[in-house]
Amino acid sequence: DAGVIQSPRHEVTEMGQEVTLRCKPISGHDYLFWYRQTMMRGLELLIYFNNNVPIDDSGMPEDRFSAKMPNASFSTLKIQPSEPRDSAVYFCASSSGQGYSPLHFGNGTRLTVT
Amino acid sequence: QKEVEQNSGPLSVPEGAIASLNCTYSDRGSQSFFWYRQYSGKSPELIMFIYSNGDKEDGRFTAQLNKASQYVSLLIRDSQPSDSATYLCAVVFSGGYNKLIFGAGTRLAVHP
């Protein structure tokens, strides 16, 4: 089991640029989550999918953020245009959705917007 | 507003002592509760989950749940320096399906 795979591990970009973060969930997991972690706000849920369908995107901070899940093994989180306040660690996590199943986190993408 | 509250710490305990980490949540209908550990620069990893009132033990860790008081805690017995990390409490609120909401975390420091 390879676990949840995120790429890139680090991303440094300039304000105004488009940023795309990628995630491959654990095979067989029906739920995929995108979280953002900062010192000030902790771990915030941005959006989550069930069977590739977005269920709750109420945590997406604004229209600059978008997420897609075109198939069961791939998801992207896009920020366009990026701003310095978007600097954070972005985690992707997946779960099986069976009963009260826990989340399995990827290693995260550390985003720095200058 | 559904919230999960934790004392940010740091909680400092000597090696070998019991560390007690606490968490309160706002939604009385919540059914499932998780404790994650996060080392600096790493991703959160699951330690324990609990669904029923009472205690649940796993090795040196004990989770305690009191739904009437909307309170969940984690006890770490025989604390080791390797336990030094941030401990995150997470709750699935009623109607939230598998949507996990995290507290801000408590930083634990175990000193030799």
Side-chain angles (χ1 to χ4, degrees), chain A residues 92-104:
Chain A
C92 176
S94 69
S95 72
S96 68
Q98 297 300 318
Y100 302 105
S101 54
L103 298 185
H104 299 264

Side-chain angles (χ1 to χ4, degrees), chain B residues 53-100:
Chain B
N53 275 329
D55 295 359
K56 179 181 179 182
E57 187 174 318
D58 183 1
R60 296 187 295 114
F61 299 96
T62 298
Q64 299 175 317
L65 176 60
N66 184 326
K67 290 185 179 180
S69 300
Q70 296 173 229
Y71 175 92
V72 58
S73 65
L74 179 70
L75 301 178
I76 307 174
R77 290 182 300 280
D78 188 24
S79 296
Q80 301 297 310
S82 59
D83 295 325
S84 299
T86 296
Y87 289 80
L88 302 166
C89 173
V91 177
V92 177
F93 290 113
S94 56
Y97 303 96
N98 284 287
K99 178 179 176 179
L100 218 58

Side-chain angles (χ1 to χ4, degrees), chain A residues 31 33 35 37 43 45 48 56 91 97 99-103 105-106, chain B residues 31-32 34 36 38 42-44 46 51 88 96-100 102:
Chain A
Y31 285 83
F33 302 79
Y35 284 87
Q37 188 173 39
L43 202 57
L45 177 63
Y48 76 101
D56 186 340
F91 287 105
Y100 302 105
S101 54
L103 298 185
F105 283 83
Chain B
Q31 295 296 322
S32 49
F34 302 83
Y36 282 78
Q38 186 175 27
K42 302 296 185 182
S43 58
L46 180 70
Y51 310 134
L88 302 166
Y97 303 96
N98 284 287
K99 178 179 176 179
L100 218 58
F102 284 82

Side-chain angles (χ1 to χ4, degrees), chain A residues 76 80 87 92 96:
Chain A
T76 60
Q80 167 63 23
S87 298
C92 176
S96 68

Side-chain angles (χ1 to χ4, degrees), chain A residues 21 32-37 41 43-49 56-62 65-67 77-79 88-91, chain B residues 99-101:
Chain A
L21 311 180
L32 183 139
F33 302 79
W34 283 101
Y35 284 87
R36 176 174 69 176
Q37 188 173 39
R41 301 176 66 90
L43 202 57
E44 302 174 277
L45 177 63
L46 300 178
I47 185 172
Y48 76 101
F49 296 82
D56 186 340
D57 65 354
S58 60
M60 296 286 262
E62 48 198 276
F65 287 69
S66 63
L77 178 68
K78 185 175 293 187
I79 308 173
V89 179
Y90 290 80
F91 287 105
Chain B
K99 178 179 176 179
L100 218 58
I101 302 300

Side-chain angles (χ1 to χ4, degrees), chain A residues 18 31 43 68 88 110:
Chain A
E18 177 180 296
Y31 285 83
L43 202 57
K68 294 181 180 179
R110 180 174 295 277

